[in-house]
Amino acid sequence: MSGNFKKALEALVTERIAEGEDPSDLFEELNREANQVFDQYNLEYELGLTKKES
Protein backbone atom coordinates (compact mmCIF):
# COMPACT_ATOMS: atom_id res chain seq x y z
CA MET A 1 0.00 0.00 0.00
CA SER A 2 2.77 2.45 0.84
CA GLY A 3 4.13 2.16 -2.70
CA ASN A 4 0.74 3.02 -4.15
CA PHE A 5 0.35 5.98 -1.80
CA LYS A 6 3.83 7.23 -2.66
CA LYS A 7 3.12 6.97 -6.40
CA ALA A 8 -0.25 8.71 -6.06
CA LEU A 9 1.19 11.52 -3.94
CA GLU A 10 4.16 11.97 -6.26
CA ALA A 11 1.83 12.14 -9.28
CA LEU A 12 -0.34 14.76 -7.55
CA VAL A 13 2.66 16.87 -6.56
CA THR A 14 4.23 16.60 -10.02
CA GLU A 15 0.94 17.59 -11.68
CA ARG A 16 0.39 20.62 -9.46
CA ILE A 17 3.96 21.84 -9.93
CA ALA A 18 3.62 21.37 -13.70
CA GLU A 19 0.48 23.55 -13.53
CA GLY A 20 2.64 26.32 -12.05
CA GLU A 21 2.10 25.96 -8.32
CA ASP A 22 4.98 27.07 -6.13
CA PRO A 23 6.61 23.95 -4.60
CA SER A 24 7.05 25.74 -1.25
CA ASP A 25 3.34 26.58 -1.09
CA LEU A 26 2.45 23.00 -1.99
CA PHE A 27 4.78 21.69 0.71
CA GLU A 28 3.17 23.95 3.30
CA GLU A 29 -0.31 22.75 2.27
CA LEU A 30 0.71 19.08 2.48
CA ASN A 31 2.39 19.74 5.83
CA ARG A 32 -0.82 21.28 7.25
CA GLU A 33 -2.93 18.39 5.91
CA ALA A 34 -0.60 15.73 7.30
CA ASN A 35 -0.54 17.39 10.71
CA GLN A 36 -4.35 17.49 10.78
CA VAL A 37 -4.47 13.77 10.06
CA PHE A 38 -1.53 12.66 12.22
CA ASP A 39 -1.59 15.43 14.83
CA GLN A 40 -1.01 13.17 17.81
CA TYR A 41 2.38 12.13 16.38
CA ASN A 42 3.86 15.68 16.22
CA LEU A 43 5.24 15.26 12.72
CA GLU A 44 8.08 17.45 11.55
CA TYR A 45 9.14 17.80 7.93
CA GLU A 46 12.08 19.24 6.11
CA LEU A 47 11.92 20.36 2.51
CA GLY A 48 14.94 18.88 0.78
CA LEU A 49 15.63 19.87 -2.78
CA THR A 50 16.90 17.01 -4.86
CA LYS A 51 17.41 16.52 -8.56
CA LYS A 52 15.09 13.87 -9.92
CA GLU A 53 16.77 11.43 -12.27
CA SER A 54 14.94 10.75 -15.54
Side-chain angles (χ1 to χ4, degrees):
M1 167 137 174
S2 65
N4 292 334
F5 177 76
K6 179 185 179 292
K7 287 180 183 181
L9 183 59
E10 185 174 359
L12 173 70
V13 167
T14 301
E15 178 183 329
R16 288 181 60 177
I17 291 172
E19 291 173 354
E21 187 157 350
D22 181 353
S24 295
D25 292 342
L26 181 56
F27 173 78
E28 289 299 323
E29 178 184 344
L30 291 172
N31 187 28
R32 281 191 308 273
E33 293 293 327
N35 281 325
Q36 286 180 347
V37 173
F38 301 107
D39 187 40
Q40 71 267 22
Y41 298 108
N42 294 323
L43 300 177
E44 292 184 17
Y45 301 93
E46 180 178 323
L47 180 60
L49 301 177
T50 57
K51 184 174 182 182
K52 191 172 181 179
E53 294 183 28
S54 301

XYZ file of all heavy atoms in Angstrom:
436
model
N 0.818 -1.197 0.000
C 0.000 0.000 0.000
C 0.861 1.260 0.000
O 0.532 2.225 -0.664
C -0.932 -0.002 1.204
C -1.575 1.325 1.437
S -3.283 1.165 1.841
C -3.634 2.845 2.213
N 1.947 1.247 0.761
C 2.768 2.455 0.838
C 3.323 2.840 -0.523
O 3.468 4.013 -0.823
C 3.893 2.285 1.856
O 4.781 1.270 1.428
N 3.645 1.862 -1.354
C 4.129 2.159 -2.697
C 3.068 2.850 -3.531
O 3.362 3.790 -4.270
N 1.828 2.400 -3.413
C 0.736 3.023 -4.152
C 0.488 4.448 -3.664
O 0.234 5.346 -4.465
C -0.549 2.201 -4.030
C -0.448 0.879 -4.751
O 0.306 0.724 -5.704
N -1.197 -0.097 -4.279
N 0.550 4.649 -2.365
C 0.350 5.979 -1.805
C 1.453 6.915 -2.276
O 1.209 8.042 -2.683
C 0.314 5.934 -0.276
C 0.192 7.297 0.350
C -1.031 7.959 0.347
C 1.287 7.925 0.911
C -1.150 9.222 0.903
C 1.179 9.184 1.467
C -0.043 9.836 1.460
N 2.690 6.426 -2.222
C 3.828 7.229 -2.663
C 3.669 7.625 -4.129
O 3.870 8.779 -4.484
C 5.126 6.459 -2.472
C 6.358 7.225 -2.931
C 7.600 6.348 -2.832
C 8.840 7.058 -3.309
N 8.869 7.326 -4.718
N 3.295 6.675 -4.966
C 3.120 6.966 -6.396
C 1.992 7.962 -6.622
O 2.112 8.881 -7.431
C 2.858 5.687 -7.175
C 4.080 4.819 -7.325
C 3.761 3.552 -8.099
C 4.986 2.658 -8.171
N 4.705 1.443 -8.926
N 0.892 7.800 -5.909
C -0.248 8.705 -6.063
C 0.104 10.112 -5.588
O -0.223 11.101 -6.255
C -1.454 8.170 -5.290
N 0.799 10.215 -4.460
C 1.193 11.516 -3.936
C 2.203 12.187 -4.862
O 2.098 13.379 -5.154
C 1.773 11.369 -2.526
C 2.160 12.663 -1.833
C 0.954 13.596 -1.691
C 2.760 12.361 -0.471
N 3.161 11.414 -5.349
C 4.157 11.969 -6.258
C 3.503 12.469 -7.547
O 3.849 13.540 -8.051
C 5.229 10.939 -6.591
C 6.342 11.500 -7.437
C 7.481 10.521 -7.659
O 7.434 9.399 -7.138
O 8.425 10.898 -8.353
N 2.533 11.721 -8.072
C 1.826 12.137 -9.282
C 1.054 13.435 -9.042
O 1.067 14.344 -9.882
C 0.874 11.034 -9.737
N 0.395 13.544 -7.895
C -0.343 14.760 -7.549
C 0.590 15.962 -7.440
O 0.315 17.018 -8.002
C -1.088 14.563 -6.225
C -1.763 15.804 -5.650
C -2.962 16.188 -6.507
C -2.179 15.565 -4.217
N 1.701 15.783 -6.737
C 2.661 16.866 -6.558
C 3.246 17.280 -7.901
O 3.321 18.466 -8.222
C 3.770 16.456 -5.562
C 4.936 17.425 -5.584
C 3.198 16.327 -4.158
N 3.651 16.317 -8.709
C 4.226 16.603 -10.024
C 3.236 17.355 -10.901
O 3.602 18.329 -11.568
C 4.655 15.293 -10.708
O 5.611 14.629 -9.876
C 5.275 15.549 -12.067
N 1.980 16.934 -10.879
C 0.943 17.588 -11.685
C 0.733 19.035 -11.248
O 0.666 19.936 -12.076
C -0.369 16.813 -11.559
C -1.523 17.431 -12.314
C -2.818 16.669 -12.099
O -2.779 15.444 -11.906
O -3.879 17.319 -12.108
N 0.644 19.252 -9.957
C 0.394 20.615 -9.462
C 1.572 21.539 -9.724
O 1.389 22.708 -10.053
C 0.014 20.569 -7.990
C -1.410 19.983 -7.837
C -1.893 19.902 -6.447
N -1.955 21.188 -5.772
C -2.421 21.339 -4.545
N -2.872 20.301 -3.872
N -2.435 22.528 -3.981
N 2.785 21.025 -9.615
C 3.960 21.840 -9.929
C 4.002 22.146 -11.420
O 4.301 23.268 -11.822
C 5.252 21.154 -9.444
C 5.287 21.162 -7.912
C 6.494 21.837 -10.019
C 6.409 20.348 -7.312
N 3.658 21.166 -12.250
C 3.622 21.370 -13.701
C 2.585 22.431 -14.078
O 2.757 23.146 -15.071
C 3.323 20.054 -14.410
N 1.522 22.544 -13.283
C 0.484 23.549 -13.531
C 0.907 24.938 -13.042
O 0.158 25.892 -13.171
C -0.823 23.140 -12.858
C -1.469 21.930 -13.498
C -2.680 21.427 -12.739
O -2.966 21.939 -11.629
O -3.337 20.501 -13.248
N 2.104 25.031 -12.445
C 2.635 26.322 -12.054
C 2.573 26.644 -10.576
O 2.908 27.758 -10.172
N 2.162 25.695 -9.765
C 2.101 25.964 -8.324
C 3.513 26.025 -7.735
O 4.400 25.272 -8.130
C 1.294 24.875 -7.616
C 1.062 25.182 -6.173
C -0.151 24.471 -5.597
O -0.925 23.886 -6.351
O -0.297 24.536 -4.380
N 3.693 26.924 -6.805
C 4.980 27.075 -6.132
C 5.213 25.841 -5.236
O 4.373 25.526 -4.385
C 4.960 28.346 -5.286
C 6.260 28.614 -4.560
O 7.165 27.763 -4.580
O 6.364 29.706 -3.973
N 6.345 25.140 -5.414
C 6.606 23.947 -4.595
C 6.597 24.234 -3.095
O 6.157 23.392 -2.310
C 7.990 23.491 -5.062
C 8.110 24.016 -6.451
C 7.363 25.323 -6.442
N 7.058 25.402 -2.687
C 7.054 25.739 -1.250
C 5.636 25.861 -0.713
O 5.340 25.406 0.392
C 7.817 27.036 -0.997
O 9.171 26.875 -1.319
N 4.741 26.460 -1.503
C 3.342 26.576 -1.088
C 2.689 25.198 -1.010
O 1.935 24.910 -0.080
C 2.551 27.460 -2.048
C 2.971 28.920 -1.988
O 3.610 29.322 -0.987
O 2.654 29.662 -2.945
N 3.001 24.360 -1.978
C 2.449 23.002 -1.987
C 2.951 22.218 -0.779
O 2.186 21.515 -0.115
C 2.834 22.297 -3.288
C 2.325 20.881 -3.470
C 0.816 20.795 -3.345
C 2.776 20.341 -4.823
N 4.230 22.363 -0.460
C 4.785 21.695 0.709
C 4.068 22.131 1.982
O 3.710 21.301 2.825
C 6.287 21.997 0.813
C 6.912 21.479 2.075
C 7.235 20.140 2.211
C 7.160 22.331 3.137
C 7.794 19.661 3.381
C 7.723 21.867 4.307
C 8.047 20.531 4.435
N 3.854 23.436 2.115
C 3.169 23.949 3.301
C 1.741 23.393 3.398
O 1.279 23.039 4.485
C 3.141 25.477 3.291
C 4.490 26.112 3.532
C 5.095 25.753 4.876
O 4.346 25.648 5.874
O 6.322 25.571 4.930
N 1.057 23.306 2.271
C -0.306 22.751 2.273
C -0.287 21.284 2.695
O -1.091 20.857 3.532
C -0.928 22.880 0.884
C -2.319 22.282 0.811
C -2.921 22.310 -0.584
O -2.425 23.053 -1.458
O -3.896 21.577 -0.787
N 0.622 20.504 2.128
C 0.710 19.084 2.482
C 1.108 18.906 3.945
O 0.616 18.001 4.622
C 1.712 18.377 1.567
C 1.274 18.236 0.115
C 2.421 17.691 -0.731
C 0.044 17.356 -0.007
N 1.976 19.773 4.429
C 2.390 19.736 5.832
C 1.190 19.971 6.755
O 0.988 19.252 7.739
C 3.488 20.773 6.069
C 4.085 20.702 7.442
O 4.113 19.652 8.067
N 4.579 21.823 7.918
N 0.385 20.988 6.440
C -0.819 21.275 7.246
C -1.777 20.087 7.228
O -2.307 19.677 8.262
C -1.531 22.517 6.713
C -0.931 23.821 7.126
C -1.831 25.004 6.786
N -2.262 25.012 5.391
C -1.580 25.569 4.390
N -0.433 26.161 4.623
N -2.050 25.534 3.163
N -2.000 19.522 6.027
C -2.931 18.393 5.911
C -2.438 17.180 6.702
O -3.217 16.530 7.399
C -3.120 18.013 4.441
C -3.828 19.061 3.618
C -5.282 19.264 4.013
O -5.946 18.297 4.430
O -5.753 20.402 3.896
N -1.157 16.886 6.590
C -0.604 15.732 7.305
C -0.706 15.934 8.810
O -1.026 14.996 9.545
C 0.847 15.509 6.893
N -0.459 17.134 9.269
C -0.540 17.392 10.706
C -1.977 17.335 11.215
O -2.208 16.978 12.372
C 0.125 18.716 11.060
C 1.628 18.582 11.126
O 2.145 17.558 11.542
N 2.327 19.599 10.690
N -2.948 17.647 10.372
C -4.346 17.493 10.783
C -4.701 16.019 10.926
O -5.430 15.629 11.832
C -5.278 18.158 9.781
C -5.277 19.658 9.861
C -6.211 20.295 8.854
O -6.693 19.651 7.932
N -6.474 21.576 9.027
N -4.157 15.199 10.037
C -4.465 13.765 10.063
C -3.688 13.051 11.167
O -4.229 12.215 11.883
C -4.165 13.121 8.685
C -4.319 11.615 8.740
C -5.076 13.713 7.616
N -2.409 13.379 11.296
C -1.534 12.662 12.218
C -1.090 13.529 13.393
O 0.017 13.366 13.919
C -0.287 12.177 11.468
C -0.593 11.267 10.321
C -0.461 11.721 9.018
C -1.019 9.976 10.536
C -0.733 10.894 7.949
C -1.305 9.132 9.471
C -1.154 9.596 8.168
N -1.936 14.434 13.818
C -1.588 15.431 14.827
C -0.988 14.833 16.094
O -0.040 15.371 16.650
C -2.818 16.270 15.173
C -2.493 17.434 16.092
O -1.438 18.069 15.898
O -3.292 17.698 17.001
N -1.484 13.723 16.545
C -1.008 13.174 17.814
C 0.446 12.695 17.733
O 1.072 12.436 18.744
C -1.910 12.033 18.307
C -1.821 10.762 17.501
C -2.853 10.668 16.396
O -3.395 11.653 15.944
N -3.130 9.470 15.952
N 1.011 12.597 16.525
C 2.383 12.129 16.378
C 3.405 13.261 16.299
O 4.598 12.999 16.229
C 2.511 11.247 15.133
C 1.654 10.019 15.239
C 0.501 9.895 14.477
C 1.984 8.982 16.111
C -0.295 8.767 14.577
C 1.191 7.853 16.223
C 0.055 7.754 15.450
O -0.739 6.641 15.548
N 2.957 14.531 16.285
C 3.856 15.684 16.224
C 4.873 15.552 15.090
O 6.083 15.522 15.307
C 4.594 15.884 17.551
C 3.651 16.272 18.647
O 2.703 17.012 18.434
N 3.900 15.765 19.850
N 4.371 15.437 13.881
C 5.241 15.257 12.725
C 6.017 16.527 12.412
O 5.521 17.629 12.540
C 4.404 14.883 11.496
C 3.581 13.608 11.610
C 2.765 13.412 10.348
C 4.478 12.418 11.841
N 7.256 16.347 12.006
C 8.082 17.453 11.547
C 8.636 17.065 10.186
O 9.004 15.924 9.952
C 9.236 17.714 12.509
C 8.769 18.243 13.848
C 9.923 18.603 14.768
O 11.053 18.742 14.262
O 9.683 18.711 15.965
N 8.689 18.045 9.295
C 9.142 17.801 7.933
C 10.233 18.776 7.572
O 10.305 19.869 8.106
C 7.984 17.988 6.932
C 6.826 17.080 7.204
C 5.768 17.502 7.992
C 6.794 15.795 6.701
C 4.704 16.668 8.267
C 5.740 14.951 6.971
C 4.690 15.391 7.747
O 3.652 14.574 8.017
N 11.049 18.359 6.629
C 12.080 19.238 6.105
C 11.998 19.159 4.589
O 11.933 18.063 4.020
C 13.454 18.765 6.566
C 14.581 19.620 6.060
C 15.928 19.164 6.578
O 15.995 18.735 7.742
O 16.888 19.222 5.804
N 11.967 20.318 3.954
C 11.919 20.361 2.506
C 13.340 20.227 1.986
O 14.170 21.099 2.202
C 11.300 21.682 2.017
C 11.179 21.867 0.524
C 10.307 20.770 -0.091
C 10.571 23.224 0.213
N 13.624 19.102 1.351
C 14.943 18.881 0.781
C 14.851 18.923 -0.730
O 14.072 18.194 -1.326
N 15.640 19.775 -1.329
C 15.631 19.874 -2.775
C 16.592 18.854 -3.351
O 17.763 18.821 -2.992
C 16.021 21.285 -3.207
C 15.125 22.397 -2.671
C 15.664 23.754 -3.114
C 13.705 22.226 -3.170
N 16.074 18.010 -4.219
C 16.901 17.006 -4.859
C 16.602 16.984 -6.349
O 15.491 17.281 -6.769
C 16.643 15.589 -4.288
O 15.262 15.278 -4.438
C 17.009 15.502 -2.826
N 17.595 16.628 -7.114
C 17.408 16.523 -8.560
C 16.844 15.143 -8.857
O 17.382 14.121 -8.429
C 18.733 16.727 -9.288
C 18.575 16.730 -10.779
C 19.875 17.084 -11.467
C 19.652 17.122 -12.961
N 20.904 17.418 -13.678
N 15.759 15.120 -9.586
C 15.092 13.867 -9.919
C 15.723 13.297 -11.187
O 15.836 13.988 -12.195
C 13.608 14.119 -10.132
C 12.779 12.896 -10.215
C 11.315 13.271 -10.228
C 10.453 12.058 -10.279
N 9.052 12.412 -10.278
N 16.170 12.058 -11.105
C 16.773 11.431 -12.268
C 15.688 10.968 -13.224
O 14.652 10.468 -12.804
C 17.617 10.246 -11.839
C 18.826 10.665 -11.005
C 19.699 9.480 -10.651
O 19.721 8.512 -11.416
O 20.348 9.558 -9.606
N 15.931 11.139 -14.509
C 14.937 10.747 -15.536
C 14.953 9.260 -15.762
O 15.931 8.614 -15.749
C 15.246 11.440 -16.848
O 15.224 12.825 -16.673
